[in-house]
């Protein structure tokens, strides 16, 4: 687990009101979906690290489920998530080659943030938003991140769709930056 506390000063920004944790799904022992020469674990680990850097630029102190280039098993990630006000774990969906889009799985109370994550991801990648869904609507076995940790699982795109993957590879840094802004806004909102 790593606390990222060296963050940029953001003049005129409200103080951070909520703790934030971001997690990469899967691991070296569980690669997740495999398609087009890449694994889900590789994609989401890289994305978590890009997002961590973007959150630091937004002035948001946060936790990760491991140091750069590494992530923890589910049971440890879920424990960390349970202690955070905002916890998001990243995944990629897998299905037929024509399945496309982004979605989130979470408790209903997390739908406002989860919905914004979907909207922004769909806009940046130019893919459909499949919307917010309850925690039992997905295929991932890491749902303990939601049920035990209270977090959001964000399925960034379908790894089995070559077009989705291409859009992600072209726009991943922009996506990390835009999602960091959304998360920062929620982390600074002292009303929720």
């Amino acid at each position: 687990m790593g606390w990222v506390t060296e963050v940029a000063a953001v003049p005129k920004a409200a103080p951070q009101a909520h703790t934030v944790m971001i997690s990469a799904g899967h691991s070296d022992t569980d690669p997740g979906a495999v398609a087009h020469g890449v694994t889900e674990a590789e994609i989401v680990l890289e994305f978590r690290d890009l997002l961590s850097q973007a959150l630091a630029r937004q002035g948001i102190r946060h936790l990760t489920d491991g140091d750069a280039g590494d992530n923890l098993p589910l049971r440890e990630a879920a424990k960390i998530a349970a202690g955070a006000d905002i916890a998001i774990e990243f995944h990629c969906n897998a299905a037929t080659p024509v399945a496309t889009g982004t979605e989130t799985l979470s408790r209903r109370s997390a739908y406002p943030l989860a919905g914004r994550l979907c909207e922004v991801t769909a806009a940046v990648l130019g893919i459909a938003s499949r919307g917010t869904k309850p925690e039992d609507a997905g295929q991932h076995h890491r749902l303990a991140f939601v049920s035990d940790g209270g977090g959001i699982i964000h399925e960034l795109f379908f790894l089995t769709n070559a077009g989705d993957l291409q859009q992600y590879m072209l726009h991943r840094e922009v996506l990390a930056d835009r999602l960091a802004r959304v998360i920062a806004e929620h982390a600074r909102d002292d009303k929720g």
Side-chain angles (χ1 to χ4, degrees):
M1 158 173 83
W3 262 108
V4 177
T5 57
E6 291 186 27
V7 298
V10 181
K12 300 183 182 177
Q16 185 171 338
H18 303 285
T19 55
V20 174
M21 184 265 191
I22 55 173
S23 175
H26 300 284
S27 65
D28 293 339
T29 59
D30 177 12
V34 179
H36 307 291
V38 295
T39 70
E40 181 179 3
E42 293 167 338
I43 294 285
V44 296
L45 181 58
E46 177 195 42
F47 187 74
R48 188 222 44 210
D49 292 346
L50 288 171
L51 182 61
S52 178
Q53 294 166 15
L55 284 170
R57 288 192 300 272
Q58 289 291 323
I60 299 299
R61 294 174 315 282
H62 59 280
L63 281 159
T64 64
D65 63 333
D67 295 326
D70 188 32
N71 70 344
L72 299 174
L74 170 61
R75 68 183 173 281
E76 294 177 49
K79 286 179 192 174
I80 299 167
D85 300 322
I86 298 169
I88 306 164
E89 182 168 88
F90 297 96
H91 286 269
C92 299
N93 258 329
T96 67
V98 296
T100 185
T102 184
E103 65 189 9
T104 56
L105 306 171
S106 68
R107 295 176 181 168
R108 194 165 296 280
S109 60
Y111 278 13
L113 174 55
R116 284 291 294 140
L117 296 173
C118 284
E119 290 170 16
V120 169
T121 302
V124 170
L125 299 185
I127 60 176
S129 172
R130 297 165 55 97
T132 58
K133 298 181 178 178
E135 63 185 284
D136 61 354
Q139 61 182 325
H140 277 102
H141 69 279
R142 288 180 68 102
L143 289 176
F145 191 82
V146 176
S147 59
D148 298 344
I152 297 169
I153 289 181
H154 185 20
E155 304 275 4
L156 293 167
F157 61 92
F158 277 83
L159 186 60
T160 47
N161 182 306
D164 277 15
L165 176 60
Q166 181 181 22
Q167 287 298 98
Y168 170 78
M169 297 304 282
L170 289 171
H171 303 291
R172 62 188 182 251
E173 291 179 7
V174 171
L175 180 61
D177 183 63
R178 300 267 174 85
L179 291 184
R181 292 179 197 183
V182 170
I183 295 165
E185 180 181 314
H186 281 264
R188 291 186 170 111
D189 182 2
D190 63 359
K191 295 172 187 65

